[in-house]
Amino acid sequence: MKRKHSRSKDLTAENPFAVIDKKEKNMKQYSRRGVLKVIGLVGLTSMAGKMIPLPRANAAMVEPNAALLANFIQVSRQLTLHETLDNTVSEALCHALNMTQERFFEGLTQLKTLLDANPDWLEQPVLRFPEAHVDAETLAKNILGGWYNGVVGKGYKAICVTYINTLANKAVSDKLVPPSFSYGPCGSWAKQP
Amino acid sequence: MNNNLSADVVVIGAGVSGSLLATRLAKAGKSVLLLESGPKVSRDALVERFRASAFKSDFMSPYPFSEMAPQPRYTPEPNGYLQQTGPHAFNAQYIRMFGGTSWHWAAQLWRYVPNDFRQHSQYGIGKDWPIAYDDLEDYYYQAEVIAGVGGAPDNGSPRAKPFPMDAVPASWLQQRVTDRLAPDFTVLDDCTGRNSRSFDGRPACCGNNNCMPVCPIDAQYHGGLAAAQAEASGVNIITEAVAYKLEHDIQGNIVAVWYYDWNKVSHRVTGKTFVLSANAIETPKLLLMSVSDKFPQGIANARDNVGRNLCDHPAIGVTFDVDEPIWPGRGPVSPCSIGQFRDGEFRKEHAPFRIDISNASQVASVTKELLQQGYFGKKLEEQIQFRAARRLSIKNAMEQLPDPNNRVTLSSKKDPLGLPTPELYWSVGEYEQRGAKVTRDNYDAIAAKLGATNIKHSKEGEFSNRQHITGTLSMGLDPASSVTDAFGRAHDHENLFMVGTGVMPTVGTCNVTLTAMALALRTADKILEETQHA
Ligand SMILES: Cc1cc2nc3c(=O)[nH]c(=O)nc-3n(C[C@H](O)[C@H](O)[C@H](O)COP(=O)(O)OP(=O)(O)OC[C@H]3O[C@@H](n4cnc5c(N)ncnc54)[C@H](O)[C@@H]3O)c2cc1C
Ligand code: SF4
């Protein structure tokens, strides 16, 4: 029997041994290729400084327009307390969150309204929204996760949007470089940082 | 089907063990054919895949998965390739690719201590090896020269010659931990195959802190380099070639190996000598699949020993925040360890162990933790800086005694080539549970000396794998209780040898690959000696 098999096919995310569940079907719906383009996005754009257009992930998905993107940037500023945020990363995160979270823009608009109406929520040491708004709190944490660890989505839907440009890496950049980048000549790490 | 493939020696599996053996045989003039089930992927492609991965803490994630040569995966969810039937999950990680599993490793290349080879006669537990430390000393050195190993000279394993490489300088973390734990705990440089100067055409380590899952500059030795060297030495390597059956003659000698290419076309390869080096789980699988009228339980399995005595280091861990900034993430990930519990009279009572101190960057994991706790804004960044500077992670390599009930068998599940997937039964016994208790007490003592807060032990009764898979092809003098003889030859098949960690009867307290490399070189010499006389 001769099987058709493409050698160049990247099967990293596939799991031929597990029962194909709903999550995996979803994963296939928005296509690995689309995801990989997002992955490539910031790596490329952060160096080349230009944006690669993303394919429409699925027909029903709302694409971010300028107003939605502006909302995303504003919420991101409120949560990170960074006045200036990298535009390319913003756009890529917004796309990726839209691909991985159901009704992302609806949730984002709701989160923005809540934060605008309740500035004291951001004066506390940690995010703890009232029980009725636990979904908004989760979304806020997911947005922060994107900025600080560069990853959005969970399980088979997880997407790495940026690596070197995460805010966590920036927060420690006076002491550390991201793993897989050179620290310095052999032994330079012997000194007190 | 291609029936014309033939060589003096046919080797199965292009990991570090098979590649070293193949190189030595080819350099001595043998024709060698090496079958490798996985693809060939370049280092730079792997580094790119690491940087693009959403699962950076999973060392498997940069390595491409193919359903034609499946490997266990655990992220984002376990793929169930290894069927677990025992009380403890044996979550083995291995890579099926040109170069094998040591693509993602810390290149810790330790020797066993002499008493590991005579454990039963010395302490009345476990097994004795059919060889002694002295039989391996020179082969240890040969392997160290190939890999460029450096380390602390006085580490319990006597040496006739100094290390071929100076150790990579200690990070600030290592210096502080060493000073503060003395004199109760002695922190030693790990023995590692990591360049502190340019060596063998590769550069000195420049502290990328990514030794696991892939060194971006090849400053550390790994199986991909060994396989490339085999190819350069004239070994004929066929990748995407999945061996699935050994064929024998009437006397029980092996005459051919059959493999599927990735289009499921079958090929038959003949040879005079056969060497299995497909790792300690896939090699038993191949033997168990190779059934015939004469050997209904599989090749080399007349006495039902293949796949038994599956061992690893059942590990427990601890993390805490040290009371001063030590900044893990600068320099190699796995630089030092505490070796004083590796040997002694206490081995009669509980498992010995080594304590590994990690220097892997903690930035991503503390950030995740802080986000879960709800931190945001400036406070989040202050806390990232604070915890990433102080978080220390420690785990042990604890010896497990060989138990014949712990084993690899064939499951009823099939992969897309129609080959059965491995089934594992693994249980961690009383001896190891007592060792875990002693380890835990020492973790607390270490934490106290470092002024630790936020101490988190791994869950009591749970053990993680250290990926040091041994025992399943155990060498021994008695065919009733072992699979291979002292050179890795199958007891019942004159021209069939096995190399890799599976032939090691016990797991000791250190990373096992240097011993497997030394044994593979020794087996190569044995094959040369016999076939040259023939
Ligand atoms: C994350 C991690 C870190 C580690 N760190 C260390 C460390 O620091 N020090 C240390 O000593 N050890 C370490 N190890 C263990 C080490 O990687 C293994 O001991 C070592 O790779 C074993 O070498 P091997 O050649 O026997 O097998 P492998 O490296 O597993 O090679 C076996 C080869 O056989 C091939 N194969 C399998 N089935 C078939 C088939 N049917 N047909 C053809 N080919 C086949 C595979 O594709 C593979 O290439 C680590 C392991 C892991 C997972
Ligand atoms: S620290 Fe970096 S350069 Fe050194 S061995 Fe590890 S990954 Fe390679």
Side-chain angles (χ1 to χ4, degrees):
Chain A
M1 183 191 73
K2 188 145 171 114
R3 282 174 67 94
K4 280 207 184 102
H5 179 76
S6 150
R7 285 181 185 204
S8 58
K9 197 169 153 198
D10 180 352
L11 293 164
T12 306
E14 287 190 2
N15 176 1
F17 298 97
V19 181
I20 304 274
D21 62 9
K22 220 166 124 223
K23 269 185 263 168
E24 264 193 283
K25 282 191 197 136
N26 285 344
M27 160 92 198
K28 277 166 195 157
Q29 247 178 40
Y30 64 69
S31 116
R32 238 181 347 266
R33 228 168 257 125
V35 173
L36 289 174
K37 284 219 171 151
V38 178
I39 290 171
L41 186 70
V42 175
L44 288 172
T45 48
S46 57
M47 278 173 246
K50 57 177 195 245
M51 195 77 175
I52 299 164
L54 280 173
R56 279 181 74 82
N58 83 38
M61 195 184 277
V62 183
E63 291 294 331
N65 58 29
L68 292 172
L69 197 59
N71 278 356
F72 178 71
I73 293 174
Q74 197 200 319
V75 167
S76 296
R77 278 199 195 120
Q78 285 170 299
L79 293 172
T80 61
L81 296 183
H82 276 266
E83 251 324 291
T84 38
L85 287 164
D86 186 309
N87 279 337
T88 312
V89 178
S90 288
E91 205 166 331
L93 277 176
C94 198
H95 269 287
L97 282 158
N98 190 29
M99 287 169 84
T100 53
Q101 307 250 162
E102 272 180 37
R103 298 207 299 273
F104 169 65
F105 286 114
E106 234 174 84
L108 180 70
T109 309
Q110 197 189 6
L111 176 61
K112 182 176 175 298
T113 312
L114 284 170
L115 292 179
D116 288 345
N118 303 286
D120 55 314
W121 290 5
L122 294 176
E123 251 120 63
Q124 300 167 38
V126 293
L127 293 179
R128 200 153 292 139
F129 292 4
E131 203 132 306
H133 300 298
V134 47
D135 287 351
E137 184 183 311
T138 306
L139 181 61
K141 286 180 177 171
N142 291 346
I143 292 171
L144 280 165
W147 280 108
Y148 280 88
N149 265 339
V151 175
V152 299
K154 279 209 173 106
Y156 288 104
K157 288 189 176 182
I159 300 174
C160 174
V161 178
T162 183
Y163 177 44
I164 48 176
N165 295 317
T166 66
L167 293 183
N169 280 335
K170 291 197 167 150
V172 297
S173 61
D174 58 333
K175 305 279 193 261
L176 295 179
V177 290
S180 84
F181 288 86
S182 169
Y183 180 81
C186 191
S188 49
W189 44 85
K191 296 191 294 277
Q192 180 167 14
Chain B
M1 181 170 88
N2 183 349
N3 256 334
N4 301 321
L5 291 164
S6 190
D8 292 337
V9 186
V10 180
V11 183
I12 292 145
V16 68
S17 311
S19 299
L20 284 185
L21 170 131
T23 302
R24 180 157 289 194
L25 296 176
K27 282 188 169 168
K30 297 281 173 199
S31 68
V32 185
L33 195 130
L34 180 44
L35 301 176
E36 166 52 50
S37 61
K40 199 175 191 177
V41 185
S42 67
R43 173 174 47 78
D44 49 330
L46 294 170
V47 176
E48 279 313 306
R49 291 174 62 93
F50 164 76
R51 289 177 181 163
S53 167
F55 309 108
K56 294 204 166 51
S57 58
D58 182 349
F59 300 139
M60 288 301 288
S61 72
Y63 294 91
F65 180 88
S66 167
E67 54 185 359
M68 298 299 129
Q71 57 207 6
R73 292 189 87 94
Y74 304 96
T75 305
E77 282 162 29
N79 72 350
Y81 175 62
L82 301 175
Q83 303 288 300
Q84 307 285 347
T85 60
H88 294 103
F90 192 93
N91 287 327
Q93 285 180 10
Y94 52 83
I95 300 176
R96 295 181 74 178
M97 202 179 94
F98 180 82
T101 308
S102 61
W103 268 105
H104 65 0
W105 71 343
Q108 286 209 38
L109 290 166
W110 293 87
R111 299 175 174 204
Y112 275 35
V113 295
N115 280 339
D116 290 339
F117 293 84
R118 49 180 186 239
Q119 188 187 40
H120 192 261
S121 36
Q122 191 83 17
Y123 301 119
I125 44 104
K127 275 184 181 176
D128 283 356
W129 286 47
I131 56 174
Y133 182 89
D134 287 346
D135 294 315
L136 223 47
E137 207 279 336
D138 185 49
Y139 285 104
Y140 268 142
Y141 184 69
Q142 293 176 35
E144 288 168 345
V145 169
I146 291 169
V149 178
D154 201 7
N155 64 23
S157 306
R159 338 179 29 89
K161 294 184 191 136
F163 279 109
M165 175 76 64
D166 285 336
V168 166
S171 65
W172 181 251
L173 174 148
Q174 181 176 343
Q175 295 171 48
R176 292 305 300 139
V177 169
T178 306
D179 285 355
R180 292 194 58 186
L181 294 185
D184 303 353
F185 298 96
T186 307
V187 178
L188 296 174
D189 282 330
D190 281 340
C191 299
T192 52
R194 182 166 298 124
N195 289 355
S196 56
R197 58 178 158 82
S198 67
F199 165 69
D200 209 15
R202 297 178 286 114
C205 171
C206 60
N208 296 272
N209 198 250
N210 209 60
C211 324
M212 285 183 287
V214 56
C215 172
I217 60 164
D218 273 349
Q220 66 180 10
Y221 184 75
H222 60 90
L225 296 166
Q229 205 202 3
E231 202 163 36
S233 308
V235 175
N236 178 12
I237 300 183
I238 304 179
T239 54
E240 303 178 6
V242 184
Y244 69 91
K245 191 172 67 181
L246 298 168
E247 183 188 324
H248 61 84
D249 64 13
I250 195 91
Q251 279 85 36
N253 285 328
I254 308 303
V255 291
V257 58
W258 292 74
Y259 77 86
Y260 286 132
D261 65 26
W262 279 14
N263 291 315
K264 209 181 173 183
V265 176
S266 207
H267 305 262
R268 182 172 181 267
V269 183
T270 56
K272 294 176 192 144
T273 304
F274 293 81
V275 183
L276 307 182
S277 55
N279 88 36
I281 291 176
E282 294 293 328
T283 297
K285 187 182 107 178
L286 175 58
L287 291 167
L288 295 172
M289 287 192 296
S290 300
V291 292
S292 67
D293 289 347
K294 191 173 165 73
F295 300 106
Q297 299 195 96
I299 295 287
N301 197 30
R303 292 163 213 86
D304 193 21
N305 283 319
V306 167
R308 290 190 184 273
N309 301 301
L310 171 69
C311 281
D312 193 345
H313 294 130
I316 61 170
V318 67
T319 62
F320 49 77
D321 295 336
V322 178
D323 63 5
E324 63 172 304
I326 48 172
W327 284 108
R330 300 164 68 255
V333 297
S334 187
C336 56
S337 55
I338 298 170
Q340 66 211 57
F341 308 102
R342 291 186 67 190
D343 193 28
E345 282 299 304
F346 66 84
R347 286 176 85 168
K348 291 177 178 160
E349 307 302 326
H350 67 77
F353 51 89
R354 199 170 49 85
I355 296 178
D356 254 324
I357 299 171
S358 171
N359 182 36
S361 167
Q362 299 290 330
V363 176
S365 64
V366 300
T367 304
K368 224 167 148 191
E369 172 185 287
L370 289 160
L371 290 172
Q372 266 160 13
Q373 291 170 0
Y375 282 88
F376 69 101
K378 293 283 165 277
K379 192 109 185 164
L380 170 61
E381 295 193 7
E382 274 164 33
Q383 280 296 313
I384 291 173
Q385 287 157 355
F386 186 87
R387 294 191 197 178
R390 288 164 179 78
R391 179 67 45 89
L392 192 64
S393 168
I394 295 179
K395 63 185 175 240
N396 67 345
M398 179 165 65
E399 175 162 47
Q400 178 181 28
L401 295 181
D403 172 357
N405 293 319
N406 288 336
R407 64 190 296 203
V408 180
T409 52
L410 304 179
S411 86
S412 55
K413 267 190 155 182
K414 301 268 193 291
D415 72 15
L417 286 176
L419 307 176
T421 65
E423 184 166 288
L424 309 179
Y425 178 95
W426 196 49
S427 174
V428 178
E430 295 283 309
Y431 182 75
E432 295 83 36
Q433 310 262 8
R434 287 196 294 275
K437 162 89 181 66
V438 179
T439 306
R440 229 179 145 84
D441 293 346
N442 279 292
Y443 285 170
D444 286 331
I446 290 169
K449 290 199 76 144
L450 295 172
T453 49
N454 198 12
I455 302 169
K456 289 192 186 112
H457 287 279
S458 57
K459 208 165 161 201
E460 196 144 6
E462 281 187 10
F463 298 93
S464 58
N465 290 63
R466 287 298 306 271
Q467 315 305 349
H468 303 141
I469 316 165
T470 55
T472 53
L473 309 161
S474 188
M475 51 165 62
L477 297 175
D478 183 0
S481 57
S482 56
V483 178
T484 58
D485 73 8
F487 289 96
R489 184 204 314 265
H491 286 303
D492 296 329
H493 309 275
E494 188 66 22
N495 66 341
L496 177 65
F497 290 83
M498 299 168 211
V499 295
T501 53
V503 298
M504 297 163 60
T506 60
V507 68
T509 49
C510 61
N511 315 53
V512 289
T513 313
L514 184 77
T515 304
M517 290 164 71
L519 289 168
L521 295 172
R522 186 167 173 270
T523 299
D525 280 356
K526 179 70 176 169
I527 292 171
L528 284 175
E529 178 198 311
E530 287 192 358
T531 51
Q532 265 149 14
H533 288 160

